[in-house]
Amino acid sequence: MRWWHAVSLRLRSVFRQSRADAELGAGLQFHLDQQTQEYLGTGMTPDAAHAAAPRALGERDQIVEVRRVARAVTAVQDLVRDMGYAIRVLRKAPVFTTVAVLTLGLGIGATTAIFGVVNGVLLKPLRYRDASRIVSVGTRWTDTGRQTSRLTGGDLLDLRASRQAFEAFSTYWGGEIGVQVEGKGEFLGVQFVEPSFFGVFDVVPVQGRTFVDADGEQRAVLGEGFAERVFGSPDRALGRVVSVEGQQYEIAGVLPRTFTAPDRTDLWLPIPMPLPRLALNRTAFNFRAVARLASGISLRQAQAHIDALGNRLSAAFPDSNRRRAFSVTPLRDRLVSPIRPTLYILLGAVFLVLVIACVNVAGLLIARSTTRSHELALRTALGAGRWRIVRQLAAESLVLAAIGGVLGVALAYVGTAALLRVAPETLPRLGEVAVDWRVLTFAGAMSLGASLVFGLAPAWQVSRVDPQEGLRQVSSRGLVGSHSTRLRGTLIIGEIALSLVLALGAGLLVRSFLALNAVDLGYRAESVLVMYAHAPAKGLTEYVQTARFFETLAPQLSSLPGVRAVAAVMGLPTGTYGSSGSFWIEGRPPRAGSQTQPEAGFRLASPGYFATLGVPIVRGRDFGERDRYDAPFVAIVSRSLAERDFPGQDPVGHRIRCGLDSDAWMTIVGIVGGMRQDSPGSAPGAEIYMPLEQHPYHANEVQVVVRTSVTPESLVPALREKMRVLNPAMAIKFTTLETMVSRSIDTQRFRASLAAAFAGLALLLAMAGVYGVMAYLTAQRTQEFGLRLALGAGRGKVFRTVLANAGTLAVAGVALGLVLSVATGRLMTSMLFGLTALDAPTYAGAVLLLSVVVLLGAAVPAWQASRVDPMTALRRE
C-alpha cells in the first residue's frame, strides 16, 4: 500500500500550499475592509467607500484578481481535502475498494477497447492529404437504391471524359494475382491503375518516381515492405524487373509502407491502353474508380454533376443504362460501410456493460453509506451541510473512478491486442487500430461519467437521511430506511433489464451464426483442398494453352495417393475470383420493369467440377472434351436462373450471351443445383457457368479443387512438388474449402462471440448485484428471521421468502428488459439469418437464463437467512 502513502503525502503538500495562498488572499482582503471602514467614517456613502478603497490601496484590479484567486484557491483546498479524506476512507475498506475498482476497470477497459477499434476503423480520417476530398465513384440503380462500387467499361470512359468536378480521376482493377519475381512465382496484391491514381491520393515515393503516360506499360511501382522483403532495401529495388501475365515491368519507384491502397496492394502496374474493345461493354461491372474532388467542389455538387451525366447515358443507351446512375461516396465510408453496423452494435453492447458495472458500484456505495449513516448524521449535527456531505461522497466516487479508469486503460491495451487477434482479416483499416490520445481521452471521459452515474444515487440517498434518526443508530448496522431499500431495488431492476437486453441480443446473434453454419450450401465443402493457381500468359495462343493445361490437369493430379477428384474453376464459392453482369436471351425482347436485362454471376469451370463439389446436374449434361475454343459455345445455368428467366419452360437448347469476354451466343446444355456463392448467408442466385477453354482470357487464374480421401492439408507438399515440375513459373497457394467458407462468415463470428462475451460479463455482474442486494436486505432482517424461526417458522419457509423477494425484482426487471429488447431488436434485423428479431425460443432461453442467474445470486443470502440462530439474533436485538 506504499502508493496510497505517496498519494496522501502529495495531497497534503498541495493542501499546505493552497492554505498559504488562501491566507495571503485573506490578508489582502482584511486591508481592503479596513480601508473601506475608514472612508465610511468620513461620511462617504457605502458605494463610494467600496469604490475608493481599492484605489486607495493602489491596485484595484489586483485586489479583484486576488479575490478571484482566493475563491479558486479555497475551492481547490476543499477539493484536495475531500480527495485526501476519500483516499483515507477507501484505504480503510480494502475489500469494498478492490471490488469496486475491479468492476469499474472491467467496464471501462472493455468499453475503451471496443472504442479503440471503432476509432481506428470508423472515426479516424484516412492517412492521405485532404482525405475528405477522396471519393469512390460507383453505380446506383435509381428504382431500387442498390449500389455497387463497380463500373462498366463503357460508363467508365464517359466518366473519364466528363470529370469537371474532379481534380484527379483514376480507374483501377486487380487483386491477389501471380507475379514472377527473381525467377519465382508468388501471389501478391496487384492493382492495374492509371498514372493519375497516385495524384488522387497525393502519395510521394520514398525512392524513385511513379509512372506517367509516357512510360506506357514499361514501369511498375512497389510497396516499401515488399521491396525490403525481396530486394533488401527500396533503393536496391529500382531498375529491377517483375513479370505479370508474361509482360515485364521495370521498377520505377517505391511507395511508403503506410500506403497500400486499395486492398493491401504490394505492386501497382499501368493499365493497358487503350482498353480492349470487349472491356468497354455496358453490362459487365469489372472496374472501380476513385477521384479527388476539385477545389471548391462539394460532395453534393459532384453528385449533381454525375447525375446529369447518368441521365444523358440513360437516354442514349436505354437497353443497358435505363434506371441506372452513378454515385459519389467518400472513400472512408465506402471502405467501412460493411462493418459499421457491427462495430456500433458492439459499442452499444459494451456500453451497457459499463452501465451495469456503474449500477453495481452504486449499489455498493449505497450499502456502504447506509452503514455509515451514524457517522454522516454526526457530521451533520456538528455543522456539515447537506452539500458538504454530498460533496464528500462525490469525492470518494471520483477517486474510485480515477483508479478504475487507470486499471481500465491498462486492460484496454490488453483488450485491443486481443481484439486485433480475433478480428476478421477483412476488417478494413485494421493496422490503424491503436490506443492513441483519442482513446485515452475517451477513457478519461468514461471514468468521469461513471463517477457521476454511480455517485449520484448514494449522494441522493444520503441527502434524505434524518440526522436525528441517524444519531439514534449507534449500531454498526446503520440506518434502515425504506427509501434506501427502494433505491437499491430500483437499481437492481434496471441492471436485470439491461442484462436481459444484452442476453437477448447475444442470443439472437449466436443463434443466427449457428444457423449459418448449419445451412445447406448446395455443395460439399468437407475434404476439399483448394489450390489458387495463376499461370503467366500473353496473347490468345498462350491463354488457350493455359486453359487447356488446367483442363488436362485432373488426370495428372488424380494419380497422387489420397486424391479422389480434381477440377478447375474461376469463381469458386466464397472465393476471390468471379464476375457478374447482364445477359441476353435469344429471341426475347428487353424485358420491362426495373432492369432492361436480367443479371447473373459468370463462372468458368472444367469438366467434372460439379461432381467434385457434389453439385447435382438437374437436367442436361456436364462440360466435356468437345467444348473447346473452336467448338460452338455452350453454357450451364443454375436452377435459380432457370426458374427466374424460363418460368414453365425448359432452358436446355436456348441460347444466351453475356458481356464477360465474348459476344458469341452460348447454347444452354445443362441445369445444376444452386450454390451459395458469396457466403452461407447468401441465397443461391442466378449463375451462368462456361467452359474454361472457351473463355481463355479469364482461364489462367483459377482455383483447382481437389477432393481427398485423406486430410486435405497432408497433400500440399505433393501437389506443390507436382506443380513445380509442371510449371515452375506458376504462382500457387493452398487453403481448404472449409476454411474459405469459415472466413466468409468471420464478421458474423466476430460479432456473435463478442456479444456473447459481453452478455456473459453482464450476467455475472447482475448475479453479483443481486447477491449484494439480497445479502444486505437479509442482514438488515436478521432479527425478523430469528423471531420467525423462534415462533416456529421452518427454515425452508425463510429460504423461500428471500427467494420470493429476489423473484419480485427479477419479474420487474424481466418485464422492463422485454420492453427494451422489443424496442431495440429492430436494429439487429439486417444482421440475422434464419430468424427474426422476435424469435420466441431466443426470448424464452434468455429469460430462463437470467432467472437462473438471479436465483443463484439470491441463493446464498437465502441459505444464510435460513441458518440464522434464533437466540443469537434475539439477543442482538
Side-chain angles (χ1 to χ4, degrees):
M1 302 298 287
R2 292 181 179 178
W3 65 277
W4 279 109
H5 184 62
V7 171
S8 299
L9 288 177
R10 181 57 183 163
L11 288 174
R12 289 172 187 172
S13 174
V14 173
F15 173 74
R16 285 193 295 267
Q17 182 61 43
S18 63
R19 183 169 56 187
D21 293 340
E23 289 174 352
L24 174 62
L28 291 173
Q29 183 65 42
F30 174 75
H31 290 299
L32 182 63
D33 292 340
Q34 268 194 333
Q35 186 64 45
T36 303
Q37 291 298 326
E38 290 179 6
Y39 280 127
L40 290 173
T42 63
M44 275 191 179
T45 63
D47 290 342
H50 283 295
R55 290 196 299 270
L57 291 178
E59 295 290 344
R60 176 184 179 185
D61 292 340
Q62 180 180 357
I63 297 301
V64 172
E65 182 63 26
V66 166
R67 286 176 174 174
R68 186 180 298 112
V69 171
R71 287 194 296 269
V73 168
T74 301
V76 171
Q77 176 182 344
D78 291 340
L79 176 62
V80 171
R81 183 188 297 112
D82 291 341
M83 298 292 285
Y85 182 74
I87 291 177
R88 293 194 297 274
V89 168
L90 293 174
R91 184 181 178 183
K92 294 178 181 178
V95 175
F96 162 79
T97 303
T98 301
V99 172
V101 167
L102 287 177
T103 301
L104 286 174
L106 285 173
I108 294 173
T111 307
T112 303
I114 291 294
F115 177 78
V117 177
V118 171
N119 175 61
V121 175
L122 302 183
L123 304 182
K124 274 186 179 179
L126 298 176
R127 291 188 279 192
Y128 313 121
R129 183 183 67 86
D130 294 337
S132 60
R133 292 171 56 196
I134 303 176
V135 296
S136 170
V137 183
T139 303
R140 174 172 54 88
W141 280 262
T142 57
D143 56 339
T144 63
R146 183 168 68 91
Q147 294 192 31
T148 178
S149 60
R150 293 178 176 269
L151 298 164
T152 67
D155 292 343
L156 175 66
L157 290 184
D158 289 313
L159 278 167
R160 184 191 289 135
S162 178
R163 38 177 273 194
Q164 294 88 342
F166 306 119
E167 179 181 297
F169 180 94
S170 174
T171 184
Y172 66 93
W173 74 78
E176 195 174 40
I177 63 176
V179 178
Q180 286 68 48
V181 186
E182 300 289 295
K184 298 179 181 179
E186 65 175 294
F187 275 96
L188 289 177
V190 179
Q191 293 291 333
F192 290 88
V193 303
E194 296 179 273
S196 57
F197 178 86
F198 307 106
V200 171
F201 293 94
D202 194 28
V203 59
V204 178
V206 296
Q207 290 286 337
R209 63 175 178 85
T210 59
F211 46 78
V212 295
D213 290 328
D215 292 328
E217 299 177 36
Q218 307 302 318
R219 301 290 186 269
V221 176
L222 282 182
E224 187 176 7
F226 176 63
E228 291 177 350
R229 178 170 62 86
V230 176
F231 302 108
S233 64
D235 58 313
R236 295 177 61 183
L238 298 180
R240 307 293 280 273
V241 174
V242 297
S243 178
V244 179
E245 301 285 23
Q247 171 72 48
Q248 292 190 334
Y249 300 88
E250 179 183 334
I251 299 172
V254 178
L255 298 182
R257 68 179 71 254
T258 56
F259 183 82
T260 59
D263 302 328
R264 303 169 187 176
T265 305
D266 300 301
L267 177 65
W268 293 264
L269 303 175
I271 287 178
M273 289 295 176
L275 292 173
R277 180 183 64 84
L278 290 175
L280 302 182
N281 67 73
R282 296 182 186 273
T283 59
F285 296 86
N286 295 324
F287 300 91
R288 288 186 171 91
V290 289
R292 177 179 286 271
L293 296 178
S295 180
I297 298 295
S298 67
L299 187 69
R300 179 176 298 181
Q301 290 172 321
Q303 183 65 61
H305 173 77
I306 65 171
D307 280 346
L309 174 62
N311 292 335
R312 292 198 298 271
L313 295 180
S314 294
F317 305 99
D319 288 346
S320 59
N321 286 62
R322 187 162 66 93
R323 299 184 182 178
R324 204 167 76 194
F326 303 114
S327 63
V328 178
T329 307
L331 182 60
R332 184 180 66 177
D333 292 350
R334 178 74 75 182
L335 291 174
V336 305
S337 58
I339 197 66
R340 181 185 284 114
T342 291
L343 292 183
Y344 280 151
I345 285 290
L346 292 178
L347 184 61
V350 77
F351 181 75
L352 289 182
V353 172
L354 177 59
V355 173
I356 292 172
C358 290
V359 169
N360 261 8
V361 176
L364 291 173
L365 284 172
I366 290 173
R368 192 163 177 274
S369 62
T370 302
T371 61
R372 295 170 61 192
S373 58
H374 183 74
E375 170 205 342
L376 298 176
L378 183 59
R379 295 183 65 185
T380 302
L382 293 177
R386 175 176 297 178
W387 166 244
R388 183 67 187 84
I389 299 296
V390 170
R391 192 178 68 191
Q392 178 58 52
L393 293 178
E396 294 179 20
S397 301
L398 189 59
V399 170
L400 284 175
I403 302 173
V406 172
L407 176 61
V409 169
L411 293 176
Y413 278 96
V414 177
T416 300
L419 286 173
L420 292 179
R421 284 194 294 269
V422 302
E425 294 181 0
T426 55
L427 186 69
R429 310 182 67 190
L430 201 58
E432 299 180 45
V433 176
V435 181
D436 57 14
W437 66 268
R438 296 181 183 85
V439 178
L440 294 177
T441 301
F442 176 84
M446 287 297 98
S447 301
L448 181 60
S451 70
L452 294 176
V453 170
F454 68 72
L456 285 177
W460 176 78
Q461 181 235 334
V462 166
S463 69
R464 301 183 61 188
V465 171
D466 183 356
Q468 294 183 359
E469 185 179 355
L471 288 173
R472 287 195 295 269
Q473 299 295 326
V474 296
S475 170
S476 62
R477 287 180 291 112
L479 177 64
V480 183
S482 60
H483 57 274
S484 173
T485 302
R486 285 196 302 270
L487 180 56
R488 298 198 73 193
T490 301
L491 291 177
I492 290 302
I493 289 172
E495 186 173 4
I496 292 173
L498 295 180
S499 299
L500 180 60
V501 172
L502 279 176
L504 281 170
L508 289 171
L509 293 177
V510 169
R511 277 177 49 80
S512 176
F513 178 72
L514 294 177
L516 279 175
N517 277 324
V519 74
D520 180 12
L521 300 173
Y523 57 90
R524 293 190 294 117
E526 70 280 0
S527 301
V528 175
L529 181 67
V530 178
M531 179 178 70
Y532 279 79
H534 188 173
K538 187 176 182 180
L540 177 60
T541 301
E542 290 189 11
Y543 276 108
V544 172
Q545 291 174 350
T546 301
R548 184 62 183 165
F549 166 80
F550 283 119
E551 287 200 345
T552 59
L553 187 63
Q556 301 182 63
L557 298 184
S558 296
S559 62
L560 296 174
V563 175
R564 295 174 55 189
V566 181
V569 61
M570 188 283 289
L572 185 67
T574 71
T576 56
Y577 303 155
S579 183
S580 63
S582 303
F583 67 95
W584 287 261
I585 302 174
E586 186 179 33
R588 186 175 298 182
R591 69 183 192 181
S594 60
Q595 297 172 319
T596 56
Q597 296 298 333
E599 292 187 349
F602 303 149
R603 321 289 170 190
L604 307 181
S606 69
Y609 166 67
F610 301 110
T612 302
L613 286 193
V615 180
I617 297 180
V618 178
R619 177 167 172 75
R621 67 172 178 88
D622 193 0
F623 299 132
E625 286 292 323
R626 55 184 168 176
D627 299 318
R628 300 195 173 189
Y629 184 72
D630 54 359
F633 279 27
V634 297
I636 296 175
V637 299
S638 66
R639 180 158 42 197
S640 298
L641 186 147
E643 293 173 351
R644 186 193 68 184
D645 297 303
F646 296 91
Q649 304 178 53
D650 183 2
V652 176
H654 286 74
R655 297 207 305 170
I656 58 176
R657 63 182 175 90
C658 68
L660 177 64
D661 62 352
S662 171
D663 288 331
W665 288 98
M666 302 176 291
T667 302
I668 299 175
V669 296
I671 304 172
V672 295
M675 290 185 272
R676 297 179 184 269
Q677 279 290 145
D678 296 331
S679 76
S682 62
E687 306 287 346
I688 299 175
Y689 299 91
M690 297 161 271
L692 275 174
E693 193 175 344
Q694 291 187 347
H695 301 270
Y697 286 108
H698 292 274
N700 70 319
E701 187 176 14
V702 300
Q703 294 133 325
V704 178
V705 290
V706 182
R707 182 164 293 281
T708 70
S709 58
V710 296
T711 304
E713 291 85 353
S714 65
L715 292 177
V716 171
L719 286 174
R720 193 183 299 276
E721 178 61 24
K722 186 73 172 180
M723 297 305 297
R724 187 189 66 79
V725 173
L726 294 175
N727 189 343
M730 184 179 297
I732 59 174
K733 66 175 185 176
F734 295 89
T735 184
T736 66
L737 188 52
E738 283 185 310
T739 300
M740 293 170 59
V741 173
S742 177
R743 287 179 177 173
S744 72
I745 54 176
D746 270 350
T747 298
Q748 291 90 332
R749 181 184 296 106
F750 177 68
R751 187 166 58 208
S753 59
L754 286 187
F758 295 151
L761 180 58
L763 290 174
L764 287 176
L765 291 174
M767 183 187 296
V770 171
Y771 169 80
V773 168
M774 299 314 298
Y776 166 75
L777 294 178
T778 301
Q780 297 300 331
R781 299 174 63 186
T782 299
Q783 284 73 31
E784 174 193 340
F785 292 140
L787 182 60
R788 289 190 180 192
L789 291 171
L791 294 177
R795 297 189 182 276
K797 174 70 172 178
V798 173
F799 184 86
R800 290 191 297 273
T801 298
V802 177
L803 288 187
N805 291 337
T808 301
L809 296 177
V811 169
V814 166
L816 178 60
L818 289 175
V819 173
L820 294 176
S821 298
V822 171
T824 59
R826 299 173 184 174
L827 300 176
M828 302 175 58
T829 301
S830 62
M831 302 180 186
L832 302 180
F833 175 83
L835 66 161
T836 67
L838 297 177
D839 182 63
T842 304
Y843 271 67
V847 171
L848 178 61
L849 177 61
L850 190 60
S851 300
V852 171
V853 166
V854 172
L855 292 178
L856 288 176
V860 173
W863 183 84
Q864 291 173 339
S866 68
R867 311 310 297 176
V868 167
D869 182 359
M871 296 306 298
T872 302
L874 293 175
R875 191 178 301 118
R876 289 171 58 186
E877 183 64 25

